[in-house]
Amino acid sequence: MGQDLEKVLIPEDELQAKIKELAARIDQDYAGKDLLLVGVLKGAVMVMADLAKYLHLGVQMDWMAVSSYGAGTKSSGVVRVLKDLDTDIMGRHVLIVEDIIDSGLTLHWLLENLKSRDPASLEICAALRKPDAVKVPIDVKYVGFDIPNEFVIGYGLDYAERYRNLPFIGTLAPHVYK
Ligand code: PRP
């Protein structure tokens, strides 16, 4: 994988330290509450697993898989549910767990969708955010890192379904996608 990688943007130890820090804040904020983590497949798998392990709270986990409609760019804002939650979230404290907020369109849609199910509370935890790519502002309670508007891979993030298992965040060498 070495030649495909341009540079390491966030090394593994920094990622882990940050996720641990977010877990400590979440432990504090949800003390005494029953929390449901909702991971957005597939990218959120790594951050979900690490976050859940660092939490001292007993939590439940559920998953949603969403995709943009049609063959257009993924930032169309029109989202199709490929897998819905197994859990009824009415009256539950829900924390959405995401790998990255790019345009914000996926989360904007997801927030509206989940809000309509009447949870007791609904917040977001995202490992990464690209402030320069935002098309719709999202109120994110827990953010790991703000990163530049570059094509990033690793820690759940893919290029053509590859590189998700890298334990760090890196950028892809242009020859891979050009
Ligand atoms: C990524 C990421 C977010 C979304 C963010 O998912 O996990 O869900 O894109 O982009 P946005 O802010 O521009 O909407 P992707 O659609 O690549 O699917 P994946 O998680 O299966 O890789």
Side-chain angles (χ1 to χ4, degrees):
M1 255 183 284
Q3 287 178 341
D4 295 349
L5 192 71
E6 188 177 56
K7 64 175 183 287
V8 175
L9 200 63
I10 308 170
E12 183 176 6
D13 57 342
E14 282 180 35
L15 261 178
Q16 292 298 322
K18 184 61 81 176
I19 301 300
K20 203 170 182 174
E21 197 184 299
L22 294 179
R25 282 178 53 201
I26 293 166
D27 268 336
Q28 234 176 14
D29 294 350
Y30 289 91
K33 290 181 178 155
D34 189 24
L35 179 62
L36 176 71
L37 303 179
V38 169
V40 186
L41 295 169
K42 305 172 191 160
V45 166
M46 298 288 184
V47 56
M48 180 76 144
D50 285 337
L51 185 72
K53 282 187 281 183
Y54 286 130
L55 286 171
H56 294 99
L57 282 175
V59 294
Q60 292 178 12
M61 287 182 246
D62 201 348
W63 302 89
M64 269 185 94
V66 295
S67 158
S68 307
Y69 266 127
T73 64
K74 67 171 187 165
S75 294
S76 64
V78 185
V79 174
R80 188 162 55 108
V81 176
L82 302 178
K83 186 221 169 286
D84 205 344
L85 296 174
D86 298 328
T87 316
D88 178 2
I89 62 169
M90 187 184 282
R92 300 289 308 269
H93 294 285
V94 175
L95 180 61
I96 301 172
V97 179
E98 261 287 25
D99 48 341
I100 190 165
I101 303 173
D102 206 317
S103 67
L105 289 166
T106 303
L107 268 176
H108 178 76
W109 183 92
L110 199 58
L111 279 174
E112 292 307 308
N113 182 290
L114 296 185
K115 261 186 217 158
S116 72
R117 307 184 197 191
D118 286 329
S121 69
L122 183 61
E123 299 289 352
I124 298 164
C125 175
L128 306 172
R129 179 172 60 183
K130 287 183 181 174
D132 298 338
V134 71
K135 286 191 179 151
V136 44
I138 302 284
D139 192 13
V140 191
K141 191 159 186 189
Y142 309 97
V143 189
F145 299 89
D146 279 324
I147 59 166
N149 195 5
E150 293 179 86
F151 198 100
V152 286
I153 50 163
Y155 200 60
L157 292 155
D158 73 308
Y159 172 68
E161 295 300 328
R162 297 182 64 200
Y163 313 108
R164 290 192 199 271
N165 62 315
L166 294 175
F168 53 83
I169 302 286
T171 58
L172 203 57
H175 76 83
V176 182
Y177 54 90
K178 276 182 182 161

